[in-house]
């Protein structure tokens, strides 16, 4: 009985690990920096963290199915580059015309590019049965290579557009603050609500949890496994492309290297937020809390003047630690179930 209570307490701490980490980070950063807990700083920081949240929401769907998407950071970089190319004028040499699509058209096209990369990921995983890790790792390099080829390795700096060409307003995604909050926060909130409704109120959400929990059983129950797998990668690509647009808009420049290591942030946020790498378990609120923790960690390292190289190393270590915690939680659940069964047998007999 005592062992069962200890296991229950330990399991509860595992479930609350993201909130515990969040409270600890806030306390430490509040002590280290006088400006950390000021409203302007919190709003600015939340605007940056929202980018991680947008990518993490797409990653959540992939991980719920038991997959992984390593290409999201590169897709974000590719999306920004495509936006820069379109805003500076798309040279259609075969008709001797330079096209300047409106900003809404740029956004739609960039998101479509992200969805196309996600579709390729989905087809590789479902039709050609390539392991998700390998398929998306390959697309990580493909998308980054495309970004470098399109830009020639250069940076796009003229993203403001021109009133005469009718393509101004790109800065709305990153610079504007409707109702006092950065646009990126509103985008993340809207996306979180949509994803939460999809997961809890639609057949697709039920299919996703069922397929992630036990794919064979779900398939026998009529769940369209291939369609579910493909759709989650398409959504993940769209979220990554949207994040890339926010990054380019906020920086007012588009660089092909943008989004590097964002895939690590997204994976860490989702797992830290309570999702299981094996699939079938995870929530939107948990993922957002995980994204905030990862964002605060990066902020803390910055205010402590930790070099970027060490930050990358530490982020990698955090990902490993988070995965180890997930595996520990799974072992604990199995052990707890065994102890509960033993206790039930003792009581019955």
């Amino acid at each position: 009985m005592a062992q069962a209570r200890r296991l229950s307490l330990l399991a509860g701490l595992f479930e609350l690990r993201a909130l515990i980490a969040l409270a600890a980070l806030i306390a430490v950063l509040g002590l280290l920096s006088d400006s950390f807990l000021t409203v302007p700083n919190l709003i600015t920081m939340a605007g940056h963290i929202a980018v991680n949240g947008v990518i993490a929401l797409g990653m959540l769907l992939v991980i719920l199915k038991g997959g992984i998407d390593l290409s999201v950071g590169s897709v974000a970089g590719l999306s920004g580059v495509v936006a820069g190319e379109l805003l500076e004028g798309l040279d259609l040499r075969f008709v001797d015309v330079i096209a300047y699509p409106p900003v809404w058209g740029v956004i739609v096209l960039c998101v479509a590019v992200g969805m196309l990369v996600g579709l390729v990921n989905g087809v590789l995983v479902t039709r050609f049965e390539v392991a998700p890790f390998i398929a998306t790792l390959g697309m990580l390099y493909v998308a980054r290579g495309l970004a470098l080829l399109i830009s020639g390795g250069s940076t796009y700096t003229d993203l403001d557009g021109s009133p005469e060409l009718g393509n101004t307003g790109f800065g709305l995604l990153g610079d504007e603050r409707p109702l006092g909050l950065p646009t990126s926060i509103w985008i993340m909130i809207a996306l979180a609500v949509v994803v939460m409704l999809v997961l809890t109120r639609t057949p697709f959400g039920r299919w996703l949890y069922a397929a992630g929990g036990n794919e064979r059983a779900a398939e026998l129950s009529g769940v369209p496994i291939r369609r579910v797998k493909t759709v989650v990668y398409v959504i993940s690509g769209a979220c990554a492309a949207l994040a890339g647009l926010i990054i380019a808009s906020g920086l007012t420049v588009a660089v092909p290297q943008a989004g590097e290591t964002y895939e690590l942030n997204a994976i860490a946020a989702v797992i830290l937020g309570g999702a299981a790498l094996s699939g079938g378990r995870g929530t939107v609120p948990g993922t957002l809390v995980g994204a905030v923790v990862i964002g605060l960690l990066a902020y803390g390292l910055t205010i402590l003047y930790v070099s970027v190289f060490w930050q990358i190393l530490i982020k990698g270590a955090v990902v490993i630690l988070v995965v180890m915690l997930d595996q520990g939680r799974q072992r604990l659940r199995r052990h707890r179930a065994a102890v509960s069964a033993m206790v039930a047998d003792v009581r019955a007999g």
Side-chain angles (χ1 to χ4, degrees), residues 23 39 50 82 92 94-95 119 140 177 186 281 283 289 294 315 318 323 325 331 337:
V39 173
V82 172
L92 304 175
F94 55 96
V95 291
L119 179 63
L140 177 155
R177 293 193 172 194
W186 294 114
R281 182 183 173 89
T283 64
V289 173
I294 298 300
K315 283 181 182 177
V318 168
V323 172
L325 283 173
R331 284 196 294 271

Side-chain angles (χ1 to χ4, degrees), residues 228-267:
V228 171
K229 279 185 181 178
T230 304
V231 169
V232 294
Y233 282 105
V234 171
I235 295 174
S236 178
C239 291
L242 192 55
L245 290 171
I246 296 171
I247 295 170
S249 175
L251 296 174
T252 66
V253 297
V255 293
Q257 293 84 5
E260 287 181 340
T261 74
Y262 274 53
E263 58 276 355
L264 295 181
N265 294 346
I267 293 168

Side-chain angles (χ1 to χ4, degrees), residues 49-304:
I49 291 174
V51 178
N52 285 331
V54 169
I55 298 181
L57 287 169
M59 185 69 77
L60 169 65
L61 300 182
V62 176
I63 289 180
L64 278 175
K65 177 55 200 74
I68 199 163
D69 189 351
L70 299 178
S71 66
V72 290
S74 296
V75 172
L78 176 62
S79 171
V81 164
V82 172
E85 182 74 12
L86 293 173
L87 289 168
E88 290 193 354
L90 185 61
D91 189 358
L92 304 175
R93 296 181 180 177
F94 55 96
V95 291
D96 197 22
V97 170
I98 298 178
Y100 295 92
V103 168
W104 67 264
V106 172
I107 294 172
V108 170
L109 287 172
C110 290
V111 172
V113 168
M115 294 174 72
L116 180 60
V117 175
L119 179 63
V120 174
N121 281 331
V123 169
L124 288 173
V125 172
T126 58
R127 299 292 176 182
F128 296 94
E129 298 184 352
V130 180
F133 180 88
I134 301 300
T136 58
L137 179 63
M139 289 308 295
L140 177 155
Y141 288 106
V142 170
R144 189 68 71 189
L146 284 173
L148 290 166
L149 283 171
I150 292 172
S151 65
S154 303
T155 299
Y156 295 89
T157 57
D158 187 15
L159 303 184
D160 292 332
S162 170
E164 294 78 18
L165 299 172
N167 63 347
T168 57
F170 186 66
L172 175 66
L173 291 173
D175 286 341
E176 299 296 323
R177 293 193 172 194
L179 302 177
L181 295 178
T183 310
S184 57
I185 295 179
W186 294 114
I187 292 174
M188 185 192 70
I189 292 173
L191 189 60
V193 171
V194 171
V195 172
M196 190 181 295
L197 289 175
V198 167
L199 289 179
T200 58
R201 302 295 176 86
T202 68
F204 180 81
R206 293 191 290 274
W207 292 345
L208 184 53
Y209 278 108
N214 189 325
E215 182 173 313
R216 181 58 181 158
E219 190 172 22
L220 292 174
S221 301
V223 174
I225 299 296
R226 285 187 173 182
R227 195 193 315 167
V228 171
K229 279 185 181 178
T230 304
V231 169
V232 294
Y233 282 105
V234 171
I235 295 174
S236 178
C239 291
L242 192 55
L245 290 171
I246 296 171
I247 295 170
S249 175
L251 296 174
T252 66
V253 297
V255 293
Q257 293 84 5
E260 287 181 340
T261 74
Y262 274 53
E263 58 276 355
L264 295 181
N265 294 346
I267 293 168
V270 174
I271 303 303
L272 187 61
L277 266 179
S278 54
R281 182 183 173 89
T283 64
V284 169
T287 296
L288 295 182
V289 173
V292 172
V293 171
I294 298 300
L296 285 180
L297 177 65
Y299 178 83
L301 294 173
T302 300
I303 66 171
L304 290 175

